[in-house]
């Protein structure tokens, strides 16, 4: 009798320092101990690494691949074995997943029932449901223990609990880690120490605000005087920011950070798990950071590091900021929620920043507001405000997409898309060159900071750093605008089938609500750049296309294909 061929599924999370190889090995051992005495052999493996158990199967890469393979009538395996249900199922995931195994006639084996799960056996269903609940309870207990421990460490010990040090401080060694196991691995404790230059800037910001200066006024004064903003002062820890000029947000973040009082403050933010789609709870949750009210903050019992401002001054600043907030009265107009179809997709062609949605005259607009000091720091000539109406862009964009998906254009589109993969993309070579230039710029900025700490003239060094940072920002802008490098050659037949499915997309866009269109544009990976002097919009595709077809566009048959929009006659939309 021939052996039964099995696929193995397992999962490991590395957030608690588990070794993926060791975890995979013992889960495989447990699976083989179940199936080999009955003539089973594992012929395929699906093992998710660094994926939380709370993530549904459809969003775990390997679990999703296994579910996809169930649909393949020519699959290599006849059954699936899971060595540890605790790691595979969480909450109600078993109830949402097992019906797929039943539908495709693939038995699911687990050690806890001694073989394949029998859906008609109530005991089997009860056991698997209990394991899902236990898995959820275990994760919740770990979260409670960790948060309670961190709260005590912050309040009683005033311990620095990780993350980037606030602007005005720097990290210094504070001895070996108190956990013996971590200390044996060479882990060290850290504490905050004053940064002589930046701490003086922080003190000045608080003093200026208490003297009556506004956030914009403080930001523009600092930029005008050539004082480096936080991301330029420490670019190694702030690669996500351009570091060209001070912003209103940076000033506000400093004024609202209570750690400048010398106390350690923890739990200013929390992680909330919110449903991805309230109409499809099976998609699970996503984690969002949200601010806690001040009565939830955990303050250390005693000062934990050198203060920059007094606690009295900090409280006075918070009262002043609160008094400038929005105060609703009977005459306050409550605005209804508006949907912007191009939200987060439209950039200003002058400065490269994302344009903000604004409702005006009962219709959506997009605006790029650029303070004069930012323009000077960026070496660009930028109007104070750039406006464009949404209705000037979206009809032209729909026509552009319609031309791409017409049946008589598909063959030419395919030729261009497949031909683009025949050799190394020129953009990839330019990308590598720009990355090397960015690394060299970072090295120079590091030298300038070292010179500043060694006692060089701050005014001269600030000029050097401002010039180098401007050069670095230009390199980053050029890198962002490059088309993504493509390595794998695309299969023409698969592309043809997928593009033909997209024919319905034009009809969907024509009849869809604004909120629906916004989701479709985002799923397509569109990125638009508006050039006000020409009254034209450049259409491009973002390099990250992992999410295409995952939620919204999949409803009209869209497949996750790269470079889908690269075959149109012209990427320019004339909106004049």
């Amino acid at each position: 009798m021939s052996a039964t061929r099995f696929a193995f599924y397992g999962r490991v999370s590395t957030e608690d320092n588990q070794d993926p190889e060791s975890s995979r090995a013992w889960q495989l051992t447990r699976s083989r101990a179940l199936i080999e005495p009955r003539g089973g052999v594992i012929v395929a493996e699906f093992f998710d690494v660094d994926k939380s158990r709370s993530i549904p199967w459809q969003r775990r890469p390997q679990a999703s691949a296994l579910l996809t393979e169930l649909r393949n009538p020519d699959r290599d395996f006849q059954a699936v074995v899971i060595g540890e249900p605790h790691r595979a199922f969480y909450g109600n995931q078993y109830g949402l997943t097992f019906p797929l195994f039943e539908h495709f006639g693939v038995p699911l084996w687990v050690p806890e029932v001694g073989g394949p799960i029998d859906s008609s056996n109530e005991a089997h269903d009860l056991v698997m449901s209990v394991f899902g609940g236990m898995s959820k309870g275990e994760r919740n207990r770990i979260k409670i223990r960790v948060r309670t421990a961190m709260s005590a460490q912050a309040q009683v010990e005033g311990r620095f609990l990780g993350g980037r040090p606030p602007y005005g401080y720097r990290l210094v060694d504070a001895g070996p880690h108190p956990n013996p196991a971590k200390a044996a691995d060479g882990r060290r404790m850290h504490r905050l120490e004053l940064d002589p230059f930046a701490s003086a800037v922080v003190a000045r910001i608080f003093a200026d605000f208490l003297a009556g200066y506004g956030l914009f006024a403080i930001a523009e004064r600092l930029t005008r005087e050539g004082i480096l903003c936080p991301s330029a002062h420490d670019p190694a820890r702030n690669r996500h920011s351009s570091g060209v000029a001070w912003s209103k947000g940076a000033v506000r973040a400093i004024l609202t950070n209570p750690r400048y009082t010398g106390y350690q403050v923890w739990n200013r933010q929390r992680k909330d798990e919110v449903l991805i789609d309230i109409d499809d709870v099976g998609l699970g949750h996503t984690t969002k950071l949200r601010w806690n009210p001040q009565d939830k903050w955990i303050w250390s019992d005693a000062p934990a590091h050198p203060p920059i401002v007094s606690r009295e001054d900090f409280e006075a600043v918070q009262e002043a900021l609160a008094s400038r907030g929005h105060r609703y009265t009977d005459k306050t107009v409550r605005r209804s929620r508006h949907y912007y179809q191009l939200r987060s997709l439209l950039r200003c062609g002058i400065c490269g920043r994302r344009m903000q949605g604004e409702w005006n005259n009962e219709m959506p607009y997009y605006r790029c507001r650029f303070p004069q000091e930012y323009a000077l720091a960026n070496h660009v000539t930028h109007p104070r405000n750039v406006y464009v109406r949404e209705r000037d862009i979206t009809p032209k964009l729909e026509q552009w997409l319609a031309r791409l998906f017409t049946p008589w254009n598909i063959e030419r589109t395919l030729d261009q898309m497949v031909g683009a993969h025949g050799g190394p993309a020129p953009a990839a070579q330019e990308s590598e060159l720009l990355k090397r230039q960015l690394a060299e710029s970072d090295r120079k900025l590091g030298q300038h900071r070292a010179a500043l700490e060694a006692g060089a003239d701050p005014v001269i060094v600030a000029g050097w750093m401002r010039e180098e940072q401007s050069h670095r920002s230009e390199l980053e802008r050029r890198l962002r605008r490059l088309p993504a490098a493509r390595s794998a050659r695309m299969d023409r037949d698969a592309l043809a089938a997928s593009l033909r499915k997209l024919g319905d997309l034009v009809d969907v866009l024509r009849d869809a609500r604004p909120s629906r269109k916004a989701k479709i544009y985002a799923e397509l990976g569109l990125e638009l750049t508006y050039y006000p002097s020409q009254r034209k919009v450049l259409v491009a595709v973002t390099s990250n296309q992992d999410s295409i077809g995952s939620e919204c566009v999949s409803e009209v048959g869209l497949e996750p294909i790269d470079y889908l929009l690269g075959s149109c006659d012209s990427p320019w939309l004339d909106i004049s």
Side-chain angles (χ1 to χ4, degrees):
M1 186 176 68
S2 61
T4 303
R5 301 185 304 277
F6 280 83
F8 159 77
Y9 177 72
R11 185 200 63 83
V12 63
S13 174
T14 57
E15 62 184 9
D16 49 356
N17 299 319
Q18 297 180 54
D19 177 19
E21 285 302 318
S22 298
S23 181
R24 170 183 167 276
W26 72 257
Q27 292 182 59
L28 267 173
T29 300
R30 200 160 186 253
S31 299
R32 289 186 175 123
L34 173 65
I35 65 173
E36 287 181 351
R38 306 186 188 187
V41 59
I42 293 177
V43 297
E45 293 186 19
F46 299 86
F47 191 74
D48 277 308
V49 177
D50 199 19
K51 297 299 177 185
S52 170
R53 70 183 77 184
S54 65
I55 299 176
W57 277 49
Q58 289 79 0
R59 290 170 48 212
R60 300 182 203 167
Q62 291 298 309
S64 177
L66 173 58
L67 295 180
T68 300
E69 195 63 20
L70 293 181
R71 295 170 166 80
N72 180 11
D74 300 323
R75 56 181 175 269
D76 295 332
F77 56 87
Q78 301 165 297
V80 175
V81 60
I82 293 175
E84 178 51 79
H86 258 98
R87 295 178 178 269
F89 298 113
Y90 171 89
N92 64 343
Q93 289 176 3
Y94 167 75
L96 295 173
T97 306
F98 183 69
L100 292 175
F101 288 87
E102 277 193 300
H103 177 78
F104 293 106
V106 179
L108 179 62
W109 290 49
V110 295
E112 281 64 24
V113 301
I117 298 174
D118 183 1
S119 61
S120 63
N121 189 322
E122 294 181 1
H124 285 194
D125 274 343
L126 178 61
V127 167
M128 296 306 297
S129 298
V130 167
F131 272 108
M134 292 173 60
S135 178
K136 184 174 182 179
E138 179 184 351
R139 182 171 180 264
N140 288 337
R141 286 194 299 274
I142 292 173
K143 287 171 60 177
I144 292 172
R145 287 199 300 268
V146 169
R147 289 186 59 82
T148 303
M150 294 180 71
S151 175
Q153 290 167 358
Q155 182 175 358
V156 179
E157 304 175 31
R159 186 187 299 185
F160 177 75
L161 297 176
R164 290 182 296 168
Y167 175 75
Y169 292 101
R170 57 191 178 191
L171 290 179
V172 294
D173 185 81
H177 200 282
N179 185 314
K182 294 182 178 181
D185 290 337
R187 300 279 294 274
R188 309 285 294 180
M189 290 283 291
H190 294 91
R191 60 180 176 83
L192 296 176
E193 178 185 79
L194 289 177
D195 181 320
F197 178 79
S199 60
V201 176
V202 172
R204 170 184 168 176
I205 290 173
F206 275 89
D208 285 353
F209 186 82
L210 290 173
Y213 287 94
L215 302 181
F216 269 123
I218 295 174
E220 294 186 358
R221 289 183 70 196
L222 295 172
T223 300
R224 188 184 306 114
E225 296 175 19
I227 297 175
L228 297 178
C229 65
S231 54
H233 180 73
D234 191 2
R237 289 179 176 269
N238 296 276
R239 295 183 181 274
H240 60 291
S241 302
S242 63
V244 174
W246 282 86
S247 68
K248 173 185 174 181
V251 175
R252 176 180 285 276
I254 289 173
L255 291 172
T256 56
N257 193 335
R259 288 199 283 180
Y260 291 122
T261 62
Y263 288 83
Q264 182 62 269
V265 182
W266 181 75
N267 200 38
R268 294 179 65 207
Q269 284 185 302
R270 69 183 187 276
K271 291 182 178 180
D272 283 350
E273 293 187 347
V274 298
L275 286 171
I276 293 177
D277 187 345
I278 60 174
D279 297 321
D280 185 4
V281 297
L283 288 176
H285 298 75
T286 186
T287 301
K288 290 190 176 182
L289 282 175
R290 289 175 174 164
W291 293 101
N292 282 324
Q294 291 194 22
D295 58 353
K296 299 292 184 182
W297 296 0
I298 305 298
W299 289 71
S300 60
D301 294 336
H305 48 263
I308 297 179
V309 298
S310 68
R311 194 158 179 174
E312 291 74 18
D313 283 349
F314 178 80
E315 295 296 341
V317 167
Q318 306 319 300
E319 291 178 6
L321 285 172
S323 67
R324 298 184 182 188
H326 294 290
R327 290 171 292 182
Y328 292 102
T329 67
D330 293 338
K331 297 182 180 180
T332 301
V333 177
R334 268 71 171 180
R335 294 185 176 181
S336 60
R337 183 176 181 181
H338 300 302
Y339 287 99
Y340 297 92
Q341 299 179 33
L342 306 179
R343 179 182 179 184
S344 300
L345 306 181
L346 186 63
R347 290 185 178 272
C348 173
I350 302 176
C351 64
R353 302 192 309 167
R354 295 194 187 278
M355 301 183 71
Q356 296 178 332
E358 183 174 279
W359 204 263
N360 195 8
N361 295 325
E362 301 301 321
M363 65 180 65
Y365 281 72
Y366 296 88
R367 181 186 73 169
C368 180
R369 185 180 186 277
F370 208 85
Q372 185 63 28
E373 295 299 328
Y374 286 19
L376 293 174
N378 279 277
H379 303 287
V380 296
T381 302
H382 195 296
R384 189 167 183 84
N385 286 285
V386 173
Y387 274 99
V388 62
R389 287 185 301 188
E390 184 180 89
R391 73 178 187 184
D392 290 342
I393 300 176
T394 50
K396 302 291 180 68
L397 180 60
E398 292 175 14
Q399 295 172 14
W400 188 84
L401 291 171
R403 289 198 306 272
L404 178 67
F405 299 142
T406 51
W408 54 85
N409 194 44
I410 287 181
E411 294 302 323
R412 184 162 57 91
T413 299
L414 286 171
D415 291 338
Q416 294 180 5
M417 294 170 69
V418 175
H421 293 260
Q429 301 174 3
E430 186 176 354
S431 173
E432 290 300 319
L433 176 61
L434 289 173
K435 288 177 180 178
R436 288 196 296 270
Q437 292 176 342
L438 282 169
E440 175 63 18
S441 180
D442 287 338
R443 186 188 66 81
K444 291 182 179 179
L445 287 170
Q447 289 180 335
H448 296 337
R449 287 199 310 276
L452 185 64
E453 294 174 355
D457 189 336
V459 177
I460 296 177
V461 176
W464 294 345
M465 295 188 75
R466 186 166 61 252
E467 182 179 352
E468 188 60 42
Q469 191 61 53
S470 175
H471 174 61
R472 190 182 191 283
S473 298
E474 176 60 27
L475 293 174
E476 287 181 331
R477 279 196 293 271
R478 289 171 55 189
L479 185 61
R480 284 197 301 267
R481 294 182 180 182
L482 283 179
R486 313 299 185 177
S487 57
R489 187 171 182 84
M490 304 173 75
D491 181 79
R492 198 180 193 283
D493 294 336
L495 282 174
S498 298
L499 276 178
R500 290 188 177 95
K501 290 180 183 178
L502 282 167
D504 294 338
L505 179 60
V506 178
D507 296 331
V508 170
L509 284 174
R510 183 172 55 247
D511 302 329
R513 299 186 306 273
S515 59
R516 174 74 170 138
K517 288 184 180 181
K519 291 183 178 181
I520 293 177
Y521 291 145
E523 289 287 330
L524 281 171
L526 291 177
E527 183 151 312
L528 313 176
T529 305
Y530 172 58
Y531 293 88
S533 61
Q534 306 173 42
R535 291 287 292 170
K536 289 185 176 182
V537 176
L538 177 65
V539 187
V541 180
T542 56
S543 59
N544 182 11
Q545 296 291 305
D546 295 337
S547 64
I548 290 181
S550 62
E551 178 184 356
C552 304
V553 186
S554 59
E555 298 175 14
V556 296
L558 181 61
E559 300 293 334
I561 298 176
D562 290 340
Y563 325 109
L564 197 55
L565 307 179
S567 62
C568 233
D569 291 336
S570 172
W572 290 95
L573 308 179
D574 189 346
I575 64 172
S576 58

